[in-house]
Amino acid sequence: MHNIRLVATDLDGTFLRDNKSISTPNMEALKLLGEKGIIRVAATGRNLRKTEEVVARHVPFDYIVYASGAGVFDWNVRNHLYTLNIPEETANELIQFFIFEDLNFHVFKPAPHNHLLWYHRGSRYCGEFERYFDFHDEYAAPLPPDGKTHSDVCQ
């Protein structure tokens, strides 16, 4: 146990309660880890904006790994340390394939701005695809008419 230098936790279904709050024992554990000089990391599939909706600034994490590893954010300094996005050419090849297959899909703008997204509606209704707009409608726009992003994408 003396060699532990970093502890990482998922957020949803692990660190956060069902109501998205943080339990007292979890908050105390983060503080104790910090006192021992152990780096505290939240790793999540959420984008950074959605992470900040459930993790307040005072929560003592050191880093947030967001969008399933597409970005790393220094929680204390409030600085993006790393992003890895899908190159524009590859993204557009995938998009053209999804359009050809008549799929419903979302395309997220490059991290760290991957709370913004484009979408394409295929001809078949998909309830899960439509429900996603309940949470992201204000950040969503249809794909440009040419079906291309003209930038790298996150996911």
Side-chain angles (χ1 to χ4, degrees):
M1 296 291 285
H2 297 292
N3 295 328
I4 296 174
R5 295 186 182 180
L6 183 146
V7 171
T9 181
D10 182 33
L11 291 178
D12 296 302
T14 306
F15 186 78
L16 298 174
R17 294 178 180 156
D18 289 344
N19 67 0
K20 306 302 180 212
S21 67
I22 301 170
S23 70
T24 300
N26 279 354
M27 190 66 96
E28 290 173 358
L30 284 180
K31 290 176 184 171
L32 180 61
L33 291 168
E35 290 167 7
K36 293 183 178 276
I38 297 172
I39 297 169
R40 302 150 300 178
V41 178
T44 182
R46 291 170 174 260
N47 63 55
L48 187 58
R49 179 164 293 192
K50 289 291 181 187
T51 301
E52 291 175 317
E53 290 176 4
V54 296
V55 178
R57 283 184 91 158
H58 72 275
V59 176
F61 281 114
D62 297 299
Y63 301 96
I64 305 292
V65 177
Y66 63 93
S68 301
V72 178
F73 185 72
D74 186 317
W75 191 244
N76 298 308
V77 179
R78 313 297 296 167
N79 184 44
H80 292 275
L81 301 176
Y82 172 83
T83 58
L84 179 64
N85 293 296
I86 300 169
E88 177 182 347
E89 181 178 345
T90 302
N92 285 321
E93 287 176 15
L94 290 167
I95 288 167
Q96 293 309 307
F97 174 78
F98 295 155
I99 290 171
F100 178 79
E101 292 293 321
D102 195 29
L103 300 174
N104 297 302
F105 62 92
H106 299 102
V107 180
F108 296 83
K109 293 191 178 186
H113 304 291
N114 58 317
H115 60 284
L116 303 170
L117 62 118
W118 296 285
Y119 63 89
H120 174 80
R121 279 191 174 92
S123 62
R124 293 174 294 236
Y125 176 80
C126 176
E128 183 177 347
F129 175 83
E130 296 302 329
R131 281 189 298 279
Y132 198 78
F133 292 105
D134 293 343
F135 302 102
H136 299 279
D137 191 47
E138 67 185 288
Y139 303 114
L143 270 173
D146 64 359
K148 295 183 179 178
T149 63
H150 305 285
S151 74
D152 293 351
V153 304
C154 180
Q155 30 193 142

